[in-house]
Amino acid sequence: MKLFPGATPFQRWMMGATFVIVAVYSIAQNKESIVEASQTRLTSPSPRIIDGDTVDFTNGRVRIVGIDAPDDDLPVLKKLSSDALRGLSSRDGGMDCSVSMFDYALRRENQCRTNPKSYGRLNLACRFPANKASVGASMVAQGYAVDYRVYSGGAYVDLMRKAAAQRVGLWGVDYEGMRQLAIRQAQVPEGCSTGTIKR
């Protein structure tokens, strides 16, 4: 079976060469993004809070990896989540973010996605400088975000279940809205392999 019936050998060769060039370019671009993210550390005593999982620093925008907070489809919850993160950041000395700050020890499975960027934001883990607490774990434990399985490896599932059971934070405001968000973010897309981590 020919891949391109009717194409001359030269045309097939050109299509193959074009594919290889595009693939090499794409890999090089992704490698640059990974290197950039791994060398990035953003810190501020007063970062600008965009929402419950996105923060602006003077030199970049960060998507807090491993969690998902309510978005525009749940505007009341989005505002409450944003206010909670703003309050924690203000109280605990701002934020310090880098790849190395993720709660790897809490993972239940391998992270399926570890993209260095999403929608122009760096995917980084963050901590509060005053107490070194994980921003992701704090937001989930206090009920203002849910575990985002493909990026967290299930690191925050237990914290999320406890918050839901106790109806803390947004779970006490709109349990069903948070439950639906948690269900969506617990899904593993087709072709994504997680695999349980042996301890």
Side-chain angles (χ1 to χ4, degrees):
M1 179 183 129
K2 287 188 176 182
L3 188 58
F4 300 104
T8 67
F10 178 74
Q11 289 172 323
R12 285 195 298 268
W13 184 87
M14 286 300 292
M15 285 186 265
T18 301
F19 173 78
V20 169
I21 290 168
V22 169
V24 168
Y25 176 77
S26 296
I27 290 168
Q29 292 301 313
N30 194 40
K31 184 179 178 186
E32 287 176 20
S33 292
I34 291 169
V35 169
E36 176 190 357
S38 68
Q39 295 173 345
T40 301
R41 185 172 185 143
L42 302 177
T43 187
S44 172
S46 55
R48 190 168 75 93
I49 307 302
I50 304 303
D51 59 33
D53 57 32
T54 306
V55 183
D56 255 351
F57 292 85
T58 55
N59 50 345
R61 182 169 281 191
V62 170
R63 170 69 160 79
I64 301 168
V65 74
I67 68 169
D68 193 37
D71 255 322
D72 294 334
D73 58 330
L74 298 166
V76 172
L77 299 185
K78 178 182 178 178
K79 181 184 179 336
L80 292 171
S81 180
S82 302
D83 291 346
L85 183 56
R86 192 173 293 109
L88 288 169
S89 175
S90 176
R91 182 192 77 191
D92 296 331
M95 279 189 224
D96 190 11
C97 304
S98 81
V99 170
S100 65
M101 293 183 184
F102 186 70
D103 301 305
Y104 292 104
L106 297 177
R107 292 180 306 157
R108 300 165 164 247
E109 56 195 20
N110 291 317
Q111 291 158 268
C112 163
R113 299 237 168 103
T114 55
N115 303 349
K117 285 187 174 181
S118 62
Y119 303 103
R121 305 169 296 184
L122 289 166
N123 292 326
L124 300 174
C126 302
R127 295 202 176 267
F128 297 114
N131 56 17
K132 305 296 186 224
S134 162
V135 174
S138 297
M139 288 295 285
V140 173
Q142 294 185 28
Y144 292 103
V146 299
D147 179 78
Y148 202 164
R149 183 178 175 195
V150 296
Y151 295 100
S152 74
Y156 307 122
V157 169
D158 289 338
L159 295 173
M160 180 178 68
R161 286 181 180 152
K162 187 175 180 182
Q166 295 176 352
R167 303 291 201 272
V168 299
L170 302 179
W171 292 96
V173 176
D174 182 356
Y175 184 87
E176 186 58 25
M178 288 297 284
R179 188 179 82 78
Q180 290 301 320
L181 179 61
I183 290 170
R184 278 194 310 271
Q185 303 315 11
Q187 304 302 310
V188 176
E190 190 174 318
C192 210
S193 176
T194 53
T196 302
I197 293 175
K198 293 183 175 85
R199 297 197 189 270

